[in-house]
Amino acid sequence: MLPPKPLAPRKGRGAVSNVQGRYEVNGREGFDDGWVHDDEEGGAAAFKTHVTDEYAKTILSRNASPDIPFNVSLNPYRGCEHGCIYCFARPTHSYLGLSPGLDFESRLFAKVNAPELLRRELAKPAYVPESIALGVNTDAYQPCERQFGITRRVLEVLNQCEHPVGLITKSSLIERDIDIIGAMAARRQACASITITTLDPDISRTLEPRAAAPARRLRTIRRLADAGIPVSVSVAPIIPFVTEPEIEKVLEAAHDAGAIGAHYVVLRLPWEVNPLFQEWLQAHFPDRAQRVMNRVREMHGGKDYDSDFSMRMHGEGVWADLIRQRFSKTVERLGMGSNGSRFAKLDFSRFRKPLVVPPAPCRQSGNATGQLDLF
């Protein structure tokens, strides 16, 4: 048996493998039997994107995490084609029996009934309005949104009900919805955050391969700010020796583009994100891979990741303190730290329940293709 070939980057993809999900019963181990070959150009075979319609049962997710500035979120899609190797949502694909690796960024699910579910949720007599974070787990403006338009239809519902919303994205597609977001922002019912991890297009191309280029995101900040939409910059994640040297430059560029607030998160490696990220490091930065992981462990008490609420976002120790000081001093110098939580200032006092509420779907014994229900 021949040893496995070294993992090679795939063009347009963040992950370099399809690691096994933690819930799979049978284990898999790769090896080279001499029959499988890469394409003629010498690169790994391409992974095509497939999007499946999903009819969700619920649409609002609630959390009680003390380190997150919102309690309610809405995610129109499962999986994300942006392919960010550091994405903390990758392990959720394990619940679907799929890999958090290449499957997460190529086998997507669109919650096509999200606007209808949201209307029904807002219409409930017991519903109490509070700011909804849109596109937190996976990006609400990833490429397939151009085809499905679910995010825009969700915003239309929120706008009609005068319900506050906060958006976070690394896509310029958010500019398409400035007409809605701008109108809501004028009533203090909307804000936005643009994630900028690095200003280096070469690093960005491998780190988050199908997201907008850094320069394009800066233009998006400018367009949102010019439209009167409060916009902040999310410098996340900060990766030692990869994106960490650019902290000050990213903040300065975002400030010059019109951002009025900023926050950061250090690299998090929960569950399958850990082996995926380390594979990425070996494929793209083999010369510094060990140094990066040493600093990551130093910020998490000697472990690759510590999920404790008190340290998972910002870490602990000398390196974490240094990052905290650099970030806070730059934010203070630029005058970007006086706005507090962007969610806390949104107004939900004028919320009104939807006038039209779609009926709940009835259980059917078959479907349009004539397939009978087993039960």
Side-chain angles (χ1 to χ4, degrees):
M1 181 186 300
L2 298 175
K5 292 182 178 179
L7 293 172
R10 294 175 183 268
K11 184 177 181 180
R13 296 297 180 186
V16 296
S17 75
N18 243 342
V19 298
Q20 184 174 342
R22 62 189 182 280
Y23 298 117
E24 293 188 37
V25 176
N26 299 316
R28 299 191 302 270
E29 184 175 346
F31 69 94
D32 182 12
D33 61 3
W35 286 95
V36 179
H37 300 280
D38 293 337
D39 59 28
E40 294 180 357
E41 296 181 358
F47 252 67
K48 293 184 178 179
T49 301
H50 300 277
V51 185
T52 303
D53 289 357
E54 176 185 350
Y55 288 87
K57 294 181 179 179
T58 60
I59 198 59
L60 295 183
S61 301
R62 290 176 169 81
N63 76 85
S65 303
D67 55 353
I68 297 179
F70 56 85
N71 299 321
V72 184
S73 59
L74 189 157
N75 296 286
Y77 302 97
R78 294 182 192 264
C80 185
E81 195 177 358
H82 282 161
C84 307
I85 190 58
Y86 51 76
C87 183
F88 65 88
R90 282 184 177 272
T92 61
H93 248 44
S94 294
Y95 295 116
L96 306 176
L98 298 173
S99 170
L102 291 164
D103 282 349
F104 176 80
E105 51 195 276
S106 62
R107 298 182 64 178
L108 315 177
F109 298 84
K111 301 176 185 178
V112 292
N113 62 335
E116 292 74 24
L117 285 177
L118 179 60
R119 283 187 184 275
R120 290 203 292 271
E121 185 71 27
L122 300 184
K124 291 180 179 178
Y127 179 78
V128 177
E130 57 181 312
S131 300
I132 293 176
L134 182 55
V136 177
N137 219 36
T138 55
D139 204 310
Y141 285 103
Q142 59 180 288
C144 62
E145 166 64 14
R146 297 182 184 277
Q147 171 189 351
F148 288 89
I150 300 173
T151 299
R152 182 172 178 86
R153 290 190 289 131
V154 165
L155 285 174
E156 289 171 345
V157 173
L158 296 173
N159 185 36
Q160 292 165 7
C161 297
E162 298 200 47
H163 193 295
V165 64
L167 303 104
I168 182 167
T169 183
K170 51 175 67 76
S171 171
S172 60
L173 183 56
I174 191 175
E175 296 175 10
R176 179 200 64 186
D177 297 335
I178 282 179
D179 58 331
I180 300 177
I181 303 170
M184 297 181 71
R187 303 192 301 264
R188 293 195 304 115
Q189 293 171 351
C191 62
S193 180
I194 304 299
T195 299
I196 301 181
T197 310
T198 174
L199 297 177
D200 187 327
D202 293 330
I203 294 178
S204 179
R205 194 175 298 116
T206 62
L207 191 65
E208 39 203 16
R210 299 201 178 194
R216 185 67 183 87
R217 295 183 221 179
L218 290 172
R219 293 203 300 272
T220 296
I221 291 178
R222 170 54 60 195
R223 288 206 60 189
L224 294 173
D226 289 346
I229 300 169
V231 58
S232 60
V233 60
S234 172
V235 187
I238 293 176
I239 305 173
F241 305 121
V242 179
T243 66
E244 161 267 322
E246 299 180 73
I247 292 175
E248 292 83 1
K249 292 181 179 179
V250 170
L251 288 170
E252 290 166 358
H255 173 262
D256 292 343
I260 60 174
H263 62 280
Y264 79 95
V265 177
V266 298
L267 178 67
R268 299 166 53 191
L269 299 176
W271 300 109
E272 294 90 346
V273 181
N274 189 5
L276 285 166
F277 178 78
Q278 293 200 50
E279 288 176 354
W280 177 88
L281 267 180
Q282 291 294 338
H284 295 282
F285 295 98
D287 59 322
R288 69 188 83 170
Q290 192 59 53
R291 293 177 63 209
V292 171
M293 290 308 301
N294 287 343
R295 291 299 174 264
V296 169
R297 292 173 186 129
E298 183 179 322
M299 291 191 291
H300 291 96
K303 298 182 289 187
D304 289 353
Y305 178 60
D306 189 336
S307 60
D308 188 274
F309 287 138
S310 64
M311 68 176 66
R312 64 174 183 166
M313 296 295 192
H314 299 136
E316 64 174 355
V318 175
W319 254 79
D321 288 341
L322 179 60
I323 289 174
R324 186 180 299 110
Q325 291 179 38
R326 290 173 58 192
F327 190 90
S328 60
K329 288 182 180 297
T330 305
V331 164
E332 182 179 0
R333 172 169 58 85
L334 297 172
M336 299 172 69
S338 60
N339 293 281
S341 172
R342 60 193 185 279
F343 289 91
K345 295 191 174 185
L346 297 181
D347 180 16
F348 53 81
S349 63
R350 294 191 289 183
F351 168 70
R352 54 189 181 185
K353 294 186 180 297
L355 298 177
V356 179
V357 182
C362 297
R363 186 180 179 90
Q364 298 180 356
S365 60
N367 57 33
T369 62
Q371 176 67 45
L372 298 179
D373 193 321
L374 286 174
F375 305 101

